[in-house]
């Protein structure tokens, strides 16, 4: 995090590391992740669906081939995340805590919360992969919104694969306190038609820039393209009334 509270956030549905060439190539995913130059990355479909849901990317590959630490969200020894959602945090940023949130729906879904930052700035990152039906997506977003309200979270971003094709429907539970950002068309990577991948920034956050990674490698590594945004966190006040940072 820069001294001015600036962070780069990214989200990427990696489709269990299987690319458009039908090859499972976690090294290729790592290359795409590194090129994003992000501070915090939410990953979706990082774990396989069978058995104990082993990760499609080995932990030691992330530890040795990236500058990221893994938020400890897995509830077993083989997964990287929970319900396929994982969060990577740049080394040097402190992970202050994690949480799990079961979501309503016809199929098992869950959101993950990771609180990151330094002495002067904190941000709650909620990684999501929402359901396929709009009524359940609305219910899932409402559950997340209520969870953040109960926890009294001042600054948060909900990011991931929202699975919403409409630009103005289905996101109503967030509109009172969040600005929903679609950086561009991210699905399908071979021929992007929809901005399924989004950020929802709580209103105190300032969006500085945003985009979709359309590199040659990203266009084959998964069926989704990664998205990113640069945000600035508000300064916090010390007890003496002065700003931090």
């Amino acid at each position: 995090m820069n001294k001015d509270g600036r962070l780069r956030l990214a989200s990427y549905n990696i489709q269990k590391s299987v690319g458009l060439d039908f090859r499972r190539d976690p090294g290729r995913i790592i290359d795409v992740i590194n090129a994003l130059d992000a501070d915090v990355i939410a990953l979706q479909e990082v774990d396989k669906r069978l058995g104990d849901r082993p990760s499609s990317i080995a932990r030691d590959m992330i530890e040795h081939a990236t500058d990221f630490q893994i938020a400890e969200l897995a509830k077993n020894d083989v997964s990287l995340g929970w319900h396929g959602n994982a969060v990577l945090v740049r080394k040097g940023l402190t992970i202050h805590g994690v949480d799990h949130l079961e979501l309503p729906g016809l199929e098992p879904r869950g959101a993950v919360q990771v609180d990151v930052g330094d002495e002067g700035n904190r941000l709650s990152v909620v990684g999501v992969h929402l359901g396929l039906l709009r009524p359940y997506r609305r219910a899932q977003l409402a559950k997340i919104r209520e969870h953040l309200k109960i926890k009294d979270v001042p600054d948060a971003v909900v990011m991931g694969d929202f699975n919403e094709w409409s630009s103005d429907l289905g996101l109503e539970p967030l509109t009172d306190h969040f600005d929903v950002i679609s950086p561009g068309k991210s699905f399908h990577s071979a021929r992007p038609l929809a901005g399924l991948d989004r950020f929802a920034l709580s209103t105190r956050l300032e969006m500085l820039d945003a985009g979709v990674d359309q590199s040659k490698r990203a266009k084959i590594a998964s069926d989704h393209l990664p998205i990113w945004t640069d945000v600035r966190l508000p300064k916090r006040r010390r007890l003496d009334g002065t700003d931090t940072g």
Side-chain angles (χ1 to χ4, degrees), residues 35-200:
L36 291 169
D37 194 28
D39 296 296
V40 184
I41 301 180
L43 301 176
Q44 301 88 50
E45 295 194 32
V46 71
D47 301 323
K48 302 172 187 176
R49 286 187 175 272
L50 300 176
D52 292 332
R53 303 197 67 165
S55 173
S56 65
I57 304 178
R59 280 178 168 263
D60 61 357
M61 179 178 286
I62 294 174
E63 292 166 356
H64 295 117
T66 79
D67 193 35
F68 290 104
Q69 54 186 315
I70 302 166
E72 293 302 333
L73 295 161
K75 295 191 175 183
N76 59 35
D77 295 331
V78 297
S79 298
L80 194 67
W82 187 67
H83 283 285
N85 296 301
V87 176
L88 307 181
V89 178
R90 179 77 61 186
K91 294 174 182 176
L93 282 176
T94 301
I95 298 175
H96 295 278
V98 302
D99 204 354
H100 305 77
L101 180 59
E102 293 279 3
L103 298 180
L106 286 176
E107 55 184 326
R109 297 272 178 176
V112 296
Q113 178 183 343
V114 179
D115 297 333
V116 302
D118 55 25
E119 182 181 356
N121 296 282
R122 298 280 184 90
L123 179 68
S124 290
V125 173
V126 180
V128 300
H129 187 185
L130 301 181
L132 297 175
L133 299 177
R134 185 172 292 151
Y136 290 109
R137 287 196 294 273
R138 284 196 180 107
Q140 290 160 5
L141 290 174
K143 183 74 176 288
I144 292 167
R145 178 69 185 93
E146 183 64 18
H147 170 80
L148 294 174
K149 186 176 181 180
I150 291 172
K151 295 288 186 178
D152 195 24
V153 174
D155 301 305
V157 56
V158 182
M159 59 188 195
D161 182 355
F162 279 43
N163 256 325
E164 178 55 71
W165 288 72
S166 173
S167 60
D168 56 359
L169 297 176
L171 307 172
E172 295 85 353
L174 297 179
T175 55
D176 67 328
H177 193 65
F178 288 83
D179 296 320
V180 181
I181 309 298
S182 175
K185 295 177 180 179
S186 57
F187 180 85
H188 186 282
S189 57
R191 186 181 179 186
L193 297 173
L196 301 187
D197 304 278
R198 289 179 164 96
F199 301 101

